[in-house]
Amino acid sequence: MSSTKKKRPKPNPDSSSSSLKWVMEPPQSLFPSKQDFLRLITVLAIASSVAITCNYFADFLNPSQKPFCDTGLDSPESLPDSCEPCPSNGECHQGKLECLQGYIRHGKLCVEDGDINETARRLSKSVENRLCKDYAQLLCDGAGSIWVREDDIWNDFDGHELTKNFESDNAIYLYAKKRTVETVSGYMETRTNSYGIKELKCPDLLAEHYKPLSCRVRQWVSNHAAIIVPICALLLGCTLLLWKVRRRRHLSIRIEELYHQVCEILEENALMSNSASGDSEPWIVASRLRDHLLLPKERKDPEIWKKVEELVQEDSRVDQYPKLLKGESKAVWEWQVEGSLSSSKIRKKADTSKLKSTESRDNKFDQQSTLKTEPKALIF
């Protein structure tokens, strides 16, 4: 058996020397250039600054809150630094915060719920209206109630329109009712009756604002009657006195005016009857003169013409006597004296009318004489 030995290839001295040279002196393309290295550093710096900035704003906007301390740790000295104190109106357990009924969480605090507060406020106003209106009606008319049981107020809440959005067994609804009763009890008068039931009453000063205006006026008058009655009587007496004085003055002026009109009419009638062309009677029936001068509303007051008759009777220039007219006796007035200013004016009017009538007759006579003489002139 013959064995043949393979010959190993002889190492190439050129290849070994080139690999050794690559290790000892790597090519320049293996490492980045100086410009690329600067660019890489710039990108890394910008990315780091952006990351730091975002992390800062994230911590600013959403700060990491510490867990809340349990509610049982009331002493500030016993609170560790690793937890936040539990706020008022809240309960903390195992680092979590739960606000009481009627409060909502706002950050680290528990604030009152606005809807519940508004509902409680409006319900309180409704209770106030009921209590104070009933008490005001009692003060005015004697009908109504003064004290109202607290249970009745609670029962009224069940049918109120403001509580329709709440269920009767809802904790929020019960809390709103509780807040309402607490608010109302804060300014209403309260007492406990003989049965141990709490009752409420509207204060007197607040009930005054719920009284109607007519009730306020009536009560004010009754309270000050001792002063108002004498003042009203005095004012009424002064008013009547002034009215009588004014009426007497007006009647006096009117009576004098009527008297002067009667005298002028009588005097004019007497002068016209005495004139040459006068065909009227010198007298005038007094009743006809009265109906001619008085106004319709003045005829209802016999006192006016009575005063005029008294003045006429006192005047010596007027003669009064009865006269039978159509089978009935009438009182007539006749003017007896001439010479007044009005009579002279009437005479001037009468003289003027006479002069005009004479001139008209003369003109007619002249016209007739002219017509008679004109034919003679034509003959010649």
Side-chain angles (χ1 to χ4, degrees), residues 108-283:
K108 300 179 181 179
L109 303 176
C110 290
V111 296
E112 293 182 340
D113 191 352
D115 295 337
I116 296 179
N117 286 337
E118 181 65 19
T119 302
R121 186 189 66 81
R122 297 177 67 179
L123 288 174
S124 302
K125 190 64 177 180
S126 177
V127 174
E128 177 187 327
N129 291 336
R130 176 195 167 183
L131 296 178
C132 294
K133 284 184 178 179
D134 292 344
Y135 187 37
Q137 183 179 1
L138 177 65
L139 295 177
C140 292
D141 304 329
S145 58
I146 302 178
W147 295 93
V148 180
R149 297 192 306 176
E150 186 178 9
D151 296 338
D152 295 338
I153 299 175
W154 280 78
N155 294 331
D156 291 342
F157 288 160
D158 297 335
H160 202 280
E161 60 181 359
L162 295 175
T163 60
K164 291 182 179 179
N165 297 328
F166 305 118
E167 297 179 357
S168 59
D169 57 347
N170 192 355
I172 298 178
Y173 170 69
L174 296 177
Y175 178 75
K177 291 168 59 175
K178 182 179 178 181
R179 285 292 306 274
T180 303
V181 173
E182 291 177 355
T183 303
V184 173
S185 302
Y187 62 93
M188 293 288 179
E189 297 182 9
T190 59
R191 74 173 185 181
T192 304
N193 59 13
S194 58
Y195 299 98
I197 300 176
K198 187 177 179 181
E199 295 179 338
L200 302 176
K201 171 183 172 293
C202 179
D204 295 339
L205 295 178
L206 185 58
E208 291 292 332
H209 297 283
Y210 286 86
K211 289 182 180 180
L213 181 60
S214 59
C215 176
R216 296 182 188 180
V217 174
R218 186 173 65 252
Q219 289 184 348
W220 184 86
V221 171
S222 62
N223 293 333
H224 300 82
I227 301 175
I228 295 175
V229 172
I231 293 177
C232 291
L234 180 61
L235 292 176
L236 182 60
C238 293
T239 303
L240 291 176
L241 181 61
L242 292 175
W243 179 78
K244 288 183 178 181
V245 170
R246 184 176 179 276
R247 185 173 182 274
R248 286 183 180 181
R249 184 173 179 274
H250 175 72
L251 289 177
S252 177
I253 296 173
R254 179 58 177 164
I255 290 170
E256 291 181 1
E257 181 182 356
L258 292 172
Y259 167 69
H260 289 296
Q261 290 179 359
V262 168
C263 292
E264 290 178 358
I265 293 174
L266 291 175
E267 185 179 4
E268 182 178 357
N269 183 70
L271 294 174
M272 295 299 293
S273 63
N274 293 332
S275 62
S277 60
D279 54 353
S280 62
E281 299 293 339
W283 46 265

Side-chain angles (χ1 to χ4, degrees), residues 1-2 11 37 39 61 97 104 136 182 197 214 216 229-230 233 307 347 367:
M1 180 174 156
S2 60
F37 184 73
R39 292 176 182 175
L61 296 175
L97 171 63
I104 57 176
E182 291 177 355
I197 300 176
S214 59
R216 296 182 188 180
V229 172
K307 294 293 184 181
R347 287 195 188 93
Q367 290 177 359

